Amino acid sequence: MRANGMVPDIWTYNTIVRGLCDEGKVKEAISLRDEMESLRVMPDEVTYNTLIDGSFQWRGSAEAFELVEEMKKMGVKLNAVTHNIMVKWYCKEGKMDEAGCAMAKMVESGFSPDCFTYNTMINGYCKAGNLKEAFKMMDEMGRKGLKADTFTLNSIVHALCEEKLLKEAYALTVNAAKRGYILDEVTYGTLIMGYFKNDQTNKAMKLWDEMKEKGIIPSVATYNTIIRGLCHSLKTDQAVDKFNELLDKGFAPDEATSNIIIHGYCLEGAAEKAFLFYNRMVENSFKPDVITCNILLRGLCKAGMLDKAFSLFNTWIIKGKPVDAVTYNTLISVLCKEGKLDEAFDLMTEMEGKKLGPDQYTYTAIIGGLTHAGRTEEAEKFMEKLLETSPNVISEDTSQILGSGDMEYSEQINNLCTQRKYKEAMKLFQESEQKGISLNKSAYFKLMDGLLKRRKSISKVA
DNA sequence: GTAGGGTTAG
């Protein structure tokens, strides 16, 4: 277009900015913004929001907030989407207090939180294991006239699966479907993953069939879920069947698909098969990344082929391909197990030089090696370092304690919910709040289930 | 015809 003397309009530019950001080429996207300005196609809120989200993902929050400031300076008004992006990234970083502040700031700026905001917050609280706040958000959402939807449902299903409450998760989806909620491939994928993680392979496969019978076409991400599940159940050959099915349907597997299968063979101790598949994929334009490298290294170490592991590591470095903390920790662990502590220390120095660590995994490996060699005093020194870096490794899990909650209130609320006396359950919840009493997780789940039931009409799910 | 929420490899 430019060569033919045409000036792309704002829509065209924004589309390309989005494409670049998706690929992680945020710098190029930002320089495109300069080009836009020089051509007097002024970047708008869509351009900035795209760049801000991309910066959060690929360049870190400092750069992202700089763009927010720039946006203000350029006279482009922040909108609800801008705020939702900021809320989302606080949630992704697990900073739920700050996410709450961002939401409050959104209100101050004159925007009411919408379904995106609430679903983001609900998911964030679920991921943080704070079911009480997740439930409170859901309640608030309902009181503002916003309807829970498939996104809300999927967050709760995921949280239930994480708690190993699979029966409850399944029952929730069945009841939700009866009430008019749309179950989609993510709902199924989440349940399937939950069953696989709890070694209920048959149920997982049954749900896969059920999903397909319903005419839901799984995307690559959902194919990855079933392939991953089969691999973790040491059924990599079956996983490859699904992989071939994916190819037959004309889908292109992504980077993850190949890594999962390579990992599957490594888990089975079949390093040769892993390399055969690796080679097959490389010939088909698969670009191995640092995760591929780490998987292969672990596989080779597991199979006792240390020489091969180190030669792979060296070739990788010579080729200038990136390595990370996991790469080093993988090798350091195996060296410690083999009693080759000097070499392990050398690698630790090397990773320190590259500012990749050491982290808690490095220290744990070193402590194990030293203890095994009877070098207790040195081990204790590293123990101190470990506690400095991550005090939570050994201390008690406070969320567990908080999560245990008050039995009496929890049970009463559980019972009321089972009897569908949600109003009374809510009253009791408010009473417990006033007394500063926390409930157990199952009580919060029951209350959330109640909120899903409260929903009267069905909103279209995109 | 452009931006924001749920599943997602070591």
Side-chain angles (χ1 to χ4, degrees):
Chain A
M1 283 176 81
R2 300 275 285 116
N4 284 310
M6 283 183 262
V7 175
D9 68 6
I10 186 80
W11 291 74
T12 312
Y13 267 115
N14 286 344
T15 304
I16 298 173
V17 165
R18 162 74 190 265
L20 288 169
C21 284
D22 280 352
E23 286 189 341
K25 296 172 181 166
V26 183
K27 272 198 176 164
E28 287 175 49
I30 291 175
S31 63
L32 214 56
R33 171 215 52 188
D34 299 336
E35 185 181 307
M36 289 166 78
E37 281 170 4
S38 70
L39 290 172
R40 302 268 174 271
V41 182
M42 294 317 272
D44 63 2
E45 61 274 22
V46 177
T47 324
Y48 273 104
N49 287 341
T50 311
L51 289 171
I52 290 164
D53 199 32
S55 292
F56 269 117
Q57 189 178 348
W58 301 99
R59 288 158 56 91
S61 45
E63 273 88 350
F65 285 121
E66 263 175 41
L67 278 166
V68 177
E69 289 311 310
E70 185 191 302
M71 183 176 177
K72 288 181 194 162
K73 230 177 11 202
M74 297 297 286
V76 181
K77 289 217 167 66
L78 275 63
N79 63 14
V81 177
T82 326
H83 285 95
N84 284 338
I85 290 169
M86 292 189 279
V87 170
K88 172 181 78 175
W89 285 100
Y90 280 125
C91 288
K92 289 226 166 172
E93 289 171 7
K95 296 172 177 166
M96 291 313 294
D97 290 342
E98 281 161 281
C101 290
M103 196 170 156
K105 214 167 169 188
M106 175 177 187
V107 176
E108 271 172 42
S109 315
F111 299 99
S112 350
D114 56 15
C115 277
F116 280 87
T117 328
Y118 280 107
N119 281 336
T120 307
M121 291 294 287
I122 290 165
N123 190 248
Y125 278 125
C126 281
K127 287 264 167 73
N130 192 341
L131 298 173
K132 172 157 76 170
E133 293 304 322
F135 156 68
K136 281 162 91 172
M137 277 289 146
M138 239 180 114
D139 184 38
E140 192 180 307
M141 180 182 188
R143 279 190 278 109
K144 297 221 164 135
L146 297 168
K147 284 169 193 124
D149 60 15
T150 307
F151 284 84
T152 329
L153 174 72
N154 289 346
S155 289
I156 305 169
V157 170
H158 185 248
L160 282 164
C161 288
E162 285 290 293
E163 296 290 328
K164 302 186 189 295
L165 298 168
L166 293 166
K167 275 190 184 154
E168 287 82 351
Y170 182 72
L172 183 70
T173 60
V174 172
N175 291 327
K178 277 185 200 154
R179 283 174 236 134
Y181 285 85
I182 293 159
L183 308 187
D184 65 3
E185 57 153 339
V186 178
T187 325
Y188 277 100
T190 308
L191 281 172
I192 287 169
M193 198 182 55
Y195 280 123
F196 269 123
K197 276 193 178 172
N198 290 281
D199 298 317
Q200 300 189 46
T201 316
N202 292 338
K203 286 207 175 128
M205 298 308 286
K206 229 177 115 185
L207 276 173
W208 173 263
D209 294 336
E210 186 185 311
M211 172 176 77
K212 292 184 124 190
E213 274 163 25
K214 276 192 164 185
I216 298 171
I217 311 229
S219 65
V220 174
T222 305
Y223 264 102
N224 284 347
T225 301
I226 191 124
I227 290 171
R228 184 180 307 113
L230 287 166
C231 285
H232 280 275
S233 315
L234 305 179
K235 291 173 178 162
T236 313
D237 287 333
Q238 277 186 51
V240 174
D241 291 343
K242 292 282 177 262
F243 176 81
N244 292 330
E245 182 184 309
L246 175 111
L247 294 179
D248 286 343
K249 302 234 155 133
F251 286 115
D254 62 14
E255 254 51 62
T257 325
S258 303
N259 281 339
I260 298 164
I261 291 176
I262 295 167
H263 184 218
Y265 282 130
C266 288
L267 284 174
E268 289 181 7
E272 291 86 359
K273 275 182 163 181
F275 273 97
L276 278 176
F277 191 82
Y278 170 85
N279 291 329
R280 169 183 163 193
M281 292 318 291
V282 170
E283 281 163 21
N284 285 287
S285 78
F286 165 59
K287 302 259 180 300
D289 58 10
V290 62
I291 296 173
T292 323
C293 172
N294 293 340
I295 292 170
L296 289 170
L297 286 178
R298 270 190 88 151
L300 288 169
C301 291
K302 190 187 150 98
M305 299 150 93
L306 290 203
D307 291 347
K308 283 208 168 156
F310 278 93
S311 68
L312 173 67
F313 174 65
N314 289 327
T315 348
W316 206 266
I317 298 228
I318 290 165
K319 282 189 185 165
K321 296 198 175 206
V323 289
D324 65 8
V326 179
T327 320
Y328 278 98
N329 289 337
T330 305
L331 296 172
I332 290 170
S333 302
V334 74
L335 288 170
C336 286
K337 280 190 190 123
E338 298 277 318
K340 295 177 177 166
L341 287 164
D342 292 340
E343 290 171 56
F345 280 121
D346 285 346
L347 277 183
M348 187 163 75
T349 315
E350 197 177 307
M351 87 188 281
E352 208 168 356
K354 293 183 182 173
K355 303 228 184 300
L356 292 174
D359 61 16
Q360 50 164 308
Y361 298 101
T362 327
Y363 289 135
T364 310
I366 296 273
I367 291 166
L370 287 169
T371 312
H372 197 72
R375 292 156 70 173
T376 353
E377 272 183 33
E378 287 165 88
E380 273 170 23
K381 271 188 195 148
F382 278 101
M383 195 65 162
E384 280 168 29
K385 287 197 178 188
L386 172 65
L387 290 173
E388 276 169 34
T389 12
S390 40
N392 299 325
V393 172
I394 292 166
S395 73
E396 282 172 298
D397 188 339
T398 41
S399 74
Q400 278 289 313
I401 296 164
L402 289 172
S404 65
D406 179 272
M407 281 313 288
E408 220 169 290
Y409 270 102
S410 303
E411 258 181 52
Q412 281 194 48
I413 288 174
N414 262 322
N415 289 337
L416 286 169
C417 287
T418 312
Q419 296 163 39
R420 302 190 180 194
K421 294 176 177 167
Y422 293 112
K423 274 196 178 159
E424 286 174 52
M426 281 303 289
K427 261 189 202 161
L428 222 53
F429 164 72
Q430 277 149 11
E431 202 180 300
S432 73
E433 278 291 277
Q434 278 165 8
K435 291 188 185 169
I437 291 170
S438 279
L439 311 173
N440 66 27
K441 285 181 173 159
S442 105
Y444 291 124
F445 278 126
K446 284 259 168 94
L447 284 166
M448 287 196 255
D449 186 36
L451 290 180
L452 286 176
K453 284 180 184 155
R454 184 173 72 185
R455 181 175 183 275
K456 291 200 177 74
S457 57
I458 304 153
S459 67
K460 261 246 183 248
V461 179

